Amino acid sequence: MYGRLCACSCDNQDMTTLKSKLQDDLNAAIRERDELSSSTLRLTLTAITKEEVAGKEKRQLSDDEVLKVITREAKKRREAADAFAQGGRPEQAEREKAEGELLARYLPQQMSDEELNAIVAQAVEEAKAAGAEGPRAMGAVMKIVNPKVAGQAEGGRVAAAVKKLLAG
């Protein structure tokens, strides 16, 4: 049941799963009557539970799988905030943005553009050495880059960096 240390702001001496950290934070938010945190964490824990019971049999998600669910939930919040902002609903956009920021606290630190570009440049060289060149090498480069940046850079950001380097 106990996986690696969680990527959030919990004490490093505490061997706890990310899901149990979310549950503890939900309980604290309820006690403090923090409506934003409690509703966001409830929705996230529901998404995790839904993922656990998906498929043929119920299972316990690893911390990496929980991180993927949290990442997906945070991305939904960012997209919803953009949609509400474009739709002329700034209050709702602010709430979605705040929920996304709350979830981001549980995610690993995002990679800087410089770090991402360095990894992409290295992957482009590897792909060229393997015979893939130009825009058609996109798939080969993405296969090399994605495992190296998993959880630290969003797919759209990675794809844009790869396209930029392959085009230029």
Side-chain angles (χ1 to χ4, degrees):
M1 179 172 134
Y2 293 105
R4 63 175 176 71
L5 294 177
C6 64
C8 53
S9 59
C10 62
D11 183 18
N12 285 345
Q13 305 329 263
D14 185 15
M15 288 294 289
T16 181
T17 64
L18 186 51
K19 183 180 176 185
S20 64
K21 172 68 176 146
L22 287 168
Q23 190 65 54
D24 292 345
D25 289 352
L26 171 61
N27 291 338
I30 291 169
R31 276 193 302 275
E32 295 167 9
R33 300 196 188 294
D34 181 350
E35 194 274 329
L36 176 73
S37 296
S38 60
S39 68
T40 303
L41 293 173
R42 266 195 190 103
L43 287 170
T44 304
L45 283 164
T46 300
I48 292 167
T49 303
K50 197 172 180 182
E51 190 78 20
E52 287 177 335
V53 297
K56 295 189 188 296
E57 60 185 63
K58 187 177 194 295
R59 63 194 179 89
Q60 186 76 29
L61 294 183
S62 69
D63 275 357
D64 289 335
E65 292 169 314
V66 171
L67 273 176
K68 286 178 185 171
V69 174
I70 296 171
T71 302
R72 191 171 55 232
E73 291 296 308
K75 182 179 179 189
K76 283 181 192 176
R77 299 309 191 290
R78 281 192 303 277
E79 291 171 351
D82 291 343
F84 282 126
Q86 290 171 1
R89 296 183 59 197
E91 317 80 35
Q92 194 64 35
E94 279 302 311
R95 177 167 174 101
E96 292 291 336
K97 188 176 175 188
E99 288 180 5
E101 289 168 359
L102 188 135
L103 291 175
R105 290 188 285 189
Y106 297 94
L107 298 173
Q109 187 67 36
Q110 289 293 296
M111 193 173 279
S112 73
D113 289 339
E114 294 80 30
E115 292 172 308
L116 178 61
N117 288 335
I119 290 173
V120 170
Q122 181 186 358
V124 168
E125 293 305 316
E126 286 179 41
K128 282 183 181 175
E133 282 196 47
R136 290 187 302 267
M138 179 85 176
V141 174
M142 290 297 285
K143 280 183 188 167
I144 296 168
V145 172
N146 279 334
K148 294 179 182 179
V149 300
Q152 297 177 325
E154 215 171 83
R157 240 180 98 203
V158 175
V162 170
K163 280 181 189 172
K164 183 178 163 191
L165 267 178
L166 289 176

